[in-house]
Amino acid sequence: MSKLLETFIDPKKNFLARMHMKAISTRLRRYGLRYDDLYDQYYSMDIKEAMNRLPREVVDARNQRLKRAMDLSMKHEYLPKDLQEKQTPFRGYLQEMLALVERERKEREALGALPLYQRTIP
């Protein structure tokens, strides 16, 4: 990544990036979500594979957060303020596994091996 782009998207160096991150954090806290919860496993097979490799407790916690967020959204409510303060929206749990899956896929493609998974029509 170029130095200019890094400076532009780094919240520590750019005021607008910091404002954007704060706005996203506020919206995620209202519903008790984490940023990694927004990844859709039907969007990419890499995301689906990374989700399958995560421990069961992590996936269950993610599903519980998503259910709570949908319930709050349908009721047009937010989490109570004291619970919003306890939320950690940028504590990641999927990024490392997703990076590993993407590296493995690229390595398999470079070696000419068959893909680990195929897209299927649901």
Side-chain angles (χ1 to χ4, degrees):
M1 202 178 322
S2 73
K3 194 73 164 167
L4 178 64
L5 184 60
E6 281 185 26
T7 305
F8 186 68
I9 63 173
D10 186 8
K12 295 174 186 168
K13 298 178 182 176
N14 186 340
F15 174 73
L16 294 176
R18 194 168 36 254
M19 294 281 293
H20 178 70
M21 189 172 179
K22 184 177 179 186
I24 289 175
S25 176
T26 302
R27 295 190 78 174
L28 291 173
R29 284 176 194 266
R30 286 180 183 169
Y31 293 106
L33 291 172
R34 291 186 180 172
Y35 189 77
D36 286 354
D37 293 340
L38 303 178
Y39 285 99
D40 184 9
Q41 62 186 356
Y42 298 111
Y43 178 73
S44 166
M45 294 301 288
D46 288 343
I47 295 171
K48 184 174 184 176
E49 181 64 24
M51 292 289 295
N52 289 338
R53 293 184 186 187
L54 288 174
R56 189 78 209 147
E57 309 85 51
V58 174
V59 175
D60 289 344
R62 175 186 190 267
N63 291 335
Q64 194 63 32
R65 285 191 300 272
L66 288 170
K67 286 179 186 178
R68 178 180 57 192
M70 286 187 277
D71 182 51
L72 289 169
S73 177
M74 294 297 281
K75 293 177 181 177
H76 299 283
E77 296 176 0
Y78 298 129
L79 277 178
K81 292 286 184 189
D82 59 327
L83 286 178
Q84 284 184 32
E85 293 169 1
K86 295 178 184 177
Q87 301 303 312
T88 53
F90 291 107
R91 180 196 280 169
Y93 59 90
L94 185 62
Q95 291 294 325
E96 292 176 13
M97 190 64 71
L98 184 58
L100 176 68
V101 169
E102 288 174 350
R103 264 196 324 267
E104 288 177 2
R105 179 182 48 81
K106 288 177 184 175
E107 182 179 345
R108 290 183 72 83
E109 288 174 359
L111 294 173
L114 292 174
L116 223 95
Y117 40 83
Q118 299 281 342
R119 181 172 293 278
T120 57
I121 299 174

